[in-house]
Amino acid sequence: MTTLRHTGILFGRSMRHILRSPDTIITVTITPLVLMLLFVYVFGGAIRTGTDNYVQYLLPGILLIAIASGISYTAFRLFTDVQQGLFTRFHSMPIGRSAILWAHVLTSLVSNAVSVVILILVAVAMGFRSSVGVLPWLAVTGILALFTLALTWLAVIPGLTAKSIDGASAFAYPLIFLPFISSAFVPTDTMPTPVRVFAENQPVTSLVETLQSLLNDRPVGSDIWVALGWCVGIAVVAYLFAMRAYRRAT
């Protein structure tokens, strides 16, 4: 219980920093928002996805890009705390050792959730509609949260081990561009064979197709198990390496 209380206190500290400097959430949200506007209103008319409004197809991929962009700030915040000696200072106090790390993880989950909600609201204003019930939306929420958690633990590693601010956040760039080589923007059957094979066997495609099916009331099939397998696998491996890096850093 003491560790939970300490985690809550340190989580409040991190969230206050974000509230005092909301440009973090604005920066994370603006790029996927611009991409959504650009693809829907400029390229949407030329892309055939089987939907009347391209935003119906596009939204899941945009949400994943927003999360991939947001976790770079987790690495940045961790790197800053390490460089300023806050980890050493906190460990000299009667604070649970895992509380500091979990506070950053919870901050990532909450701040990314805010970005996701903003993007969904904008998508609704652009014509996105979903007639599904509560359970599919809960499934979508759970998958996005699990995806955020997996990438957050991945972000912890460079946050603790990087030698510069650029090094701490640059790891997220490949993750941000990965949805472009998936079914997030166009169906994979329109791609050249080598690109299609890669796109169909990388984690983003199974995530996108699962979210699209849930939001558009279509059968999910095996995609949801593949998506969950990727998320859990990444989370477990990243957690193990992150804890190893944490022990070395402290």
Side-chain angles (χ1 to χ4, degrees), residues 187-210:
T188 57
D189 56 14
T190 64
M191 301 175 182
T193 301
V195 179
R196 176 172 55 79
V197 170
F198 174 80
E200 291 177 349
N201 292 280
Q202 59 120 320
V204 171
T205 291
S206 58
L207 283 162
V208 164
E209 293 183 357
T210 297

Side-chain angles (χ1 to χ4, degrees), residues 28 32 61-73 112 147-148 151 155 169 171-179 204:
V28 168
I62 292 296
L63 298 181
L64 298 185
I65 289 174
I67 292 170
S69 177
I71 54 101
S72 65
Y73 281 94
N112 278 293
F147 180 69
T148 305
L151 293 194
S169 56
F171 86 101
Y173 296 151
L175 301 177
I176 294 170
F177 287 106
L178 199 57
V204 171

Side-chain angles (χ1 to χ4, degrees), residues 9-234:
I9 294 170
L10 293 172
F11 165 69
R13 164 188 170 269
S14 296
M15 289 305 301
R16 283 193 294 274
H17 287 173
I18 291 178
L19 292 174
R20 290 170 186 166
S21 182
D23 57 299
T24 298
I25 293 178
I26 294 171
T27 304
V28 168
T29 308
I30 195 69
T31 299
L33 177 59
V34 169
L35 283 174
M36 185 163 64
L37 293 170
L38 178 66
F39 273 86
V40 171
Y41 293 126
V42 179
F43 303 129
I47 300 175
R48 297 291 175 261
T49 59
T51 56
D52 295 332
N53 190 342
Y54 184 44
V55 73
Q56 292 287 142
Y57 182 92
L58 183 66
L59 179 60
I62 292 296
L63 298 181
L64 298 185
I65 289 174
I67 292 170
S69 177
I71 54 101
S72 65
Y73 281 94
T74 301
F76 170 79
R77 287 190 292 267
L78 273 166
F79 175 83
T80 302
D81 280 358
V82 170
Q83 294 301 307
Q84 292 178 348
L86 288 179
F87 274 65
T88 304
R89 191 180 309 166
F90 285 143
H91 286 155
S92 67
M93 302 167 65
I95 295 175
R97 291 183 65 83
S98 62
I100 306 169
L101 206 54
W102 275 105
H104 281 283
V105 172
L106 291 176
T107 301
S108 174
L109 287 170
V110 173
S111 60
N112 278 293
V114 172
S115 299
V116 165
V117 169
I118 292 172
L119 288 168
I120 291 175
L121 292 176
V122 174
V124 169
M126 295 170 64
F128 174 80
R129 297 293 182 270
S130 178
S131 60
V132 299
V134 174
L135 288 179
W137 273 106
L138 288 176
V140 168
T141 302
I143 291 170
L144 291 175
L146 184 58
F147 180 69
T148 305
L149 184 64
L151 293 194
T152 297
W153 281 115
L154 201 60
V156 168
I157 301 170
L160 294 172
T161 60
K163 304 302 181 183
S164 67
I165 291 179
D166 292 336
S169 56
F171 86 101
Y173 296 151
L175 301 177
I176 294 170
F177 287 106
L178 199 57
F180 290 93
I181 315 174
S182 73
S183 61
F185 291 89
V186 295
T188 57
D189 56 14
T190 64
M191 301 175 182
T193 301
V195 179
R196 176 172 55 79
V197 170
F198 174 80
E200 291 177 349
N201 292 280
Q202 59 120 320
V204 171
T205 291
S206 58
L207 283 162
V208 164
E209 293 183 357
T210 297
L211 295 174
Q212 287 173 346
S213 297
L214 288 169
L215 292 172
N216 293 289
D217 199 20
R218 298 197 305 262
V220 176
S222 62
D223 284 326
I224 188 169
W225 302 114
V226 177
L228 291 175
W230 274 111
C231 288
V232 171
I234 293 171

